[in-house]
Amino acid sequence: MRWITSWCKKELTKQNFRLAGWLSVGYFIVLFLSIVIGQIDRFSHINKNPSNYYYYDNLMIHGGFIPAVLLFIMPTLTALVLFRYLHKQDASDFIHSLPSTRKTIYLHHTVFGIFSILIPQILTYISLFIVDQAMDHQNLLDLADINRWFHLSASTGLIVFAVSVFVAMLTGVTLVQLIFTYIFLFLPVGLTFLVVFNMHYALPGLSMNYLVEDVIIHFSPLTDLEHVFMETDMNWTKVMIYYGLALTILVFSYFLYKRRPVESANQAIAFHSLKPIFIYSFTSSFTLIGGMYSGIFQYELPILFLMYIIFSVIGYYISQMIVEKTWRVFGKVKQLGYFFVVAALVMIGFSLDVTGFVHRVPDPDKVKEVYVIDDDYNFTERVNYYGRQPGFNDPEDIKNIQALHEDLIDSVERHDFLNYYRSIKIVYILENGSEMVREYSLDDEEFELYENYHITNHPMYRRYSEPLFYINPAKANKIEVKSEHYNYKELKITNRDQIIELIERLRQDTLALPQEDHLNYMMNYLTIHTPGEQEVYINLAYEYESTLQWLDEQGLTKEALILTEDVERIVITPYKEDLYHEAASYETAFTDDERTIYTSPEAIDQLLRQMTAGTGEPTYMMMVYLKQLSEPLMRSLDETIVFPE
Amino acid sequence: MINVRQVQKKFEKELVVNIDEVTIEQGTIYGLLGSNGAGKTTFLKMLSGIIKPTSGTIVFEDEPIYENKRLKERVIFIPDQPFFFQHYSIKQLADFYREQYPSFNEARFNECERIFKLDTKKKVHTFSKGMQRQVSFWLALSAMPDYLILDEPFDGLDAVVRKKIKNLIVRDVAERNMTVLISSHNLREVEDLCNYIGIIHRGKYVIHRDIDDLKTDVHKVQIAYKTAPDDLFDAFNVLHHESRGSVHMFIIKGDLDIIEGYIHTTSPILYDILPLTLEEIFVYEMEGIGYAMDHVLV
């Protein structure tokens, strides 16, 4: 204890409390009102009305917007007021004239800052714990939820604080500290995004999403918000890394503090040696922004280079103005000259693709698996949710995909990435465990080339692309078959054997299905429910032959599906856009000559099988009247429809 | 004792302070003179351990001052614009000083309260500039430092308060052998207080002298001859010479007796040895080494 008392200066702490204590107190009040009171309210609602039950165990979400925003504002403000003295010459002189070493001063301020962030969170933690113990809440909250909330809040708060302290050391101006705290938090993603975007000009096939979403986004809690707020399971490794990173940044900042010249108060950049680094980084970032600006407006290549030049000049002079704190910087051109030379060399290097990035296709023998992904978002979601399914691993398939890859390399244009084309991603998992990822934006012609390889029909592709193959049939507890129109038909299957059989049939059918745009959908869909997991949704089509046959065998068809016998009549009229899809308007807008009414079971059956013929330009409107139901089901059809005799 | 050796301070590429060697003995009241921008404040901040010299050493009693907690407990720096924490009263500030400086003396604090007659519960920021300066002296002197470093301390103080503060300082020097450094751009402001004077110009020392030595060392001789000898005072260190007809005025550095002895040998019509003001001494001294003193002597 002795070392603490000798080290801890009560009056200095008091002074810190006068400066930053109000932030801490305010933060606790907000946390208490939004999170603790919020939980109490939620539980009393549920106790009063148990049907009002909703289960969501993420306290971050329950707290709402304000505590989430405060998690990024409060630590920054704390660092801002605690280290304000560094940025005022008189205060800085005074503090450093005191008989305290820089270590003592730094520790006082950072430890105070850490406590002023943690204490409100700890108090909230205790309050939540008491609420959890004292209230009857039907297991809506448990210690794990509270722990998760606490560690996510604490690690995020600390890392924001640490970054802000770090920036405080680098600058002598508080406003710069404020702005650059957030710039630094965005920097990993922002800079990568800019660099990758601009590299696309030179290197077709580069996958931006892969880099940004899979790797860099996790580097900063500010860009990792989705994970902080949405994850139902806390990623302990990440939390530990955030804690460790916060500590590392604070220790590093201490060494900066020791070396920081006191006289740099009021200077934008505290360390003389950082000035050129700042100027070149800022200029580079601006140049890259120029490239992106040019990309967004789809400028041609010469304009792109003009944009590079204009933005680099703007960025260069802005950075000079920040560093020199004056407008009169236009005489300084030497560093800009150096920048142009290096930037030109880098651009030439990338354009010539000196590393052979563009044409690289891995050696088939070294490839363990390949994924071809044309719906990256859902693929990533599935992998994050269920884990990975095996990809193509048959040597023939790998060869086939490599042929596709080489075709793509030959056909894609540098500018393709700027267009909102469909994109195809090829992910090679190599024998040594590393990944090689390429992504191509394909125009219609190139997409046709891709389709010619029939990859989406391949059972392997189906296996890793359909959620149906990811779920564990033994865990599913319910399958519902519903129909889209007012739930005209509804069937629930809860028998375990039936569930497992049905999933097996569905899988069989899925592997054998033709391409998606050749399917003839029915008016029925099916959902597979697994407790604690997302449900799997399948739109039934006539091509699910084995499934339909199974339903028939089990005698469930009549109960589950809308069949020909359920249809009273089908009316077909020309399509009129201004009538919208209102049955009554369609009924009255046309004369009997323009309308055709079908009532024979054969005609109805034939029409029902063509309900999805609506992908082209709408020409007809089909209204299906079900028995005992006044409102018809409406579909627009294109001209490919074949009318019954 | 303060010892400064080969100290340089650069702000970026600009050399602001460049001092070869200066020693300040215990119990000295040292006046540091120089025009604005001469590097006085930077030098004092280095002496107080606030900023770190780019190169060279500053030691107090053989210990470096920078980052030296134990030593800094005995050193107080009062800047030209006194700084106080926002919204602190004198009492709260005293609590702060009491914790920082172990030698803080309650009796002295109470004594100062009687001398300065300021409300210790009022926030310091509501005081006038002159009153704030008094508060800074009050707190500094209560901490009983062995080294007191003052940057332009008497700006904005009226004559009465100035006198009170000077008395307090002199008393501490006499009683406790406190060492005081005072910077000023005005010689007259500090000449009655200091016993040592240093002048810096563009970061460099031009003079570093004991005032008593100076006064006994430099003499103003007015002398008249019918025909003056050609080699008059050639053997002496003449700082300045003027003549109006047969009357000559010499400023001579050297021992008074030897000068008088020499004068007798040249049999002048009449001669006078006059006292010099400190200001005159400096003007002539600086002239001797080729510096203009205009701005130091406002």
Side-chain angles (χ1 to χ4, degrees), chain A residues 291-413:
Chain A
M292 197 170 97
Y293 177 86
S294 172
I296 288 167
F297 291 95
Q298 313 233 353
Y299 291 145
E300 292 300 317
L301 224 52
I303 307 284
L304 168 70
F305 285 108
L306 186 66
M307 282 295 156
Y308 275 145
I309 293 170
I310 292 174
F311 272 77
S312 61
V313 171
I314 295 173
Y316 175 76
Y317 283 116
I318 292 179
S319 64
Q320 284 283 8
M321 283 171 197
I322 294 174
V323 169
E324 303 291 333
K325 286 175 87 181
T326 169
W327 296 98
R328 290 187 294 276
V329 292
F330 294 99
K332 300 185 176 227
V333 290
K334 202 169 74 181
Q335 284 167 308
L336 186 59
Y338 294 149
F339 176 80
F340 277 143
V341 172
V342 175
L345 289 177
V346 170
M347 278 185 208
I348 292 169
F350 273 115
S351 308
L352 296 178
D353 187 19
V354 284
T355 61
F357 176 90
V358 175
H359 294 96
R360 190 176 305 140
V361 174
D363 180 354
D365 296 340
K366 288 183 180 153
V367 176
K368 204 167 107 193
E369 281 175 290
V370 197
Y371 296 89
V372 178
I373 302 154
D374 55 9
D375 181 1
D376 192 28
Y377 177 80
N378 283 319
F379 180 82
T380 316
E381 287 281 294
R382 275 193 300 275
V383 170
N384 288 342
Y385 199 80
Y386 297 108
R388 225 177 56 189
Q389 285 275 353
F392 292 98
N393 46 22
D394 181 80
E396 277 306 307
D397 292 336
I398 293 177
K399 219 179 263 175
N400 186 36
I401 290 168
Q402 290 208 321
L404 163 71
H405 188 176
E406 270 160 12
D407 269 357
L408 290 178
I409 290 173
D410 294 339
S411 62
V412 291
E413 306 271 342

Side-chain angles (χ1 to χ4, degrees), chain A residues 239-257:
Chain A
V239 168
M240 286 302 146
I241 289 174
Y242 278 165
Y243 277 131
L245 197 60
L247 187 71
T248 313
I249 296 173
L250 285 175
V251 170
F252 186 64
S253 304
Y254 164 66
F255 289 108
L256 283 179
Y257 184 57

Side-chain angles (χ1 to χ4, degrees), chain B residues 66-97:
Chain B
Y66 190 75
E67 287 286 78
N68 188 333
K69 176 181 179 291
R70 300 267 302 275
L71 195 56
K72 279 168 100 176
E73 283 172 353
R74 296 161 50 213
V75 180
I76 285 198
F77 171 69
I78 301 183
D80 52 349
Q81 303 283 336
F83 173 84
F84 306 103
F85 290 135
Q86 289 279 334
H87 308 297
Y88 266 58
S89 66
I90 298 177
K91 213 166 162 297
Q92 287 167 323
L93 283 168
D95 289 340
F96 187 82
Y97 272 70

Side-chain angles (χ1 to χ4, degrees), chain B residues 32-231:
Chain B
L32 185 68
L33 293 170
S35 52
N36 294 329
K40 299 187 300 283
T41 303
T42 307
F43 182 41
L44 291 187
K45 282 186 188 170
M46 285 193 285
L47 284 173
S48 320
I50 295 171
I51 59 180
K52 196 180 178 181
T54 312
S55 61
T57 53
I58 297 175
V59 293
F60 285 48
E61 300 156 21
D62 298 327
E63 274 190 67
I65 177 78
Y66 190 75
E67 287 286 78
N68 188 333
K69 176 181 179 291
R70 300 267 302 275
L71 195 56
K72 279 168 100 176
E73 283 172 353
R74 296 161 50 213
V75 180
I76 285 198
F77 171 69
I78 301 183
D80 52 349
Q81 303 283 336
F83 173 84
F84 306 103
F85 290 135
Q86 289 279 334
H87 308 297
Y88 266 58
S89 66
I90 298 177
K91 213 166 162 297
Q92 287 167 323
L93 283 168
D95 289 340
F96 187 82
Y97 272 70
R98 200 173 285 125
E99 182 184 76
Q100 292 287 338
Y101 298 96
S103 52
F104 193 89
N105 185 315
E106 299 302 327
R108 168 58 68 83
F109 182 77
N110 295 332
E111 185 195 344
C112 286
E113 189 173 356
R114 284 194 297 280
I115 297 172
F116 292 116
K117 297 188 184 71
L118 294 172
D119 184 353
T120 56
K121 288 191 183 111
K122 243 177 109 178
K123 287 185 177 178
V124 177
H125 279 89
T126 61
F127 289 148
S128 76
K129 245 184 162 180
M131 285 153 107
Q132 288 188 17
R133 198 169 278 280
Q134 292 175 46
V135 174
S136 64
F137 273 107
W138 179 348
L139 293 166
L141 292 169
S142 303
M144 308 294 269
D146 289 336
Y147 297 91
L148 184 61
I149 298 173
L150 311 170
D151 191 11
E152 305 273 359
F154 300 117
D155 271 7
L157 285 183
D158 63 56
V160 181
V161 178
R162 202 180 287 212
K163 186 113 200 333
K164 280 183 193 168
I165 289 172
K166 282 184 179 176
N167 285 342
L168 280 168
I169 291 173
V170 171
R171 205 180 74 188
D172 267 15
V173 173
E175 286 175 3
R176 305 193 291 112
N177 211 21
M178 178 171 78
T179 309
V180 185
L181 266 97
I182 302 175
S183 83
S184 177
H185 54 270
N186 190 341
L187 177 63
R188 258 170 255 162
E189 203 176 68
V190 291
E191 68 175 324
D192 57 338
L193 191 64
C194 299
N195 50 12
Y196 231 93
I197 292 286
I199 299 181
I200 59 173
H201 185 69
R202 291 190 185 155
K204 277 190 164 169
Y205 255 94
V206 280
I207 283 180
H208 170 68
R209 248 339 121 62
D210 187 324
I211 288 188
D212 292 335
D213 285 354
L214 271 180
K215 282 189 172 165
T216 52
D217 206 34
V218 181
H219 311 279
K220 184 177 186 176
V221 180
Q222 278 187 320
I223 195 163
Y225 293 99
K226 273 189 184 145
T227 42
D230 289 341
D231 58 349

Side-chain angles (χ1 to χ4, degrees), chain A residues 54-71:
Chain A
Y54 64 105
Y55 184 81
Y56 210 97
D57 57 358
N58 192 326
L59 286 164
M60 284 281 178
I61 298 293
H62 286 302
F65 179 70
I66 296 171
V69 171
L70 272 188
L71 199 49

Side-chain angles (χ1 to χ4, degrees), chain A residues 9-12 15 18 90-91 93-102 262-263 267 272 275, chain B residues 9 11-12 45 49-51 66-67 69 72-73 83 85 87-88 92 95-97 99-101:
Chain A
K9 305 260 186 207
K10 199 179 91 204
E11 293 294 329
L12 201 58
Q15 154 69 1
R18 282 157 181 264
D90 53 354
D93 287 348
F94 176 75
I95 293 284
H96 294 110
S97 78
L98 294 172
S100 299
T101 55
R102 276 160 174 69
V262 173
E263 63 270 20
Q267 297 211 16
H272 182 56
K275 287 183 180 177
Chain B
K9 181 69 196 177
F11 288 152
E12 307 209 336
K45 282 186 188 170
I50 295 171
I51 59 180
Y66 190 75
E67 287 286 78
K69 176 181 179 291
K72 279 168 100 176
E73 283 172 353
F83 173 84
F85 290 135
H87 308 297
Y88 266 58
Q92 287 167 323
D95 289 340
F96 187 82
Y97 272 70
E99 182 184 76
Q100 292 287 338
Y101 298 96

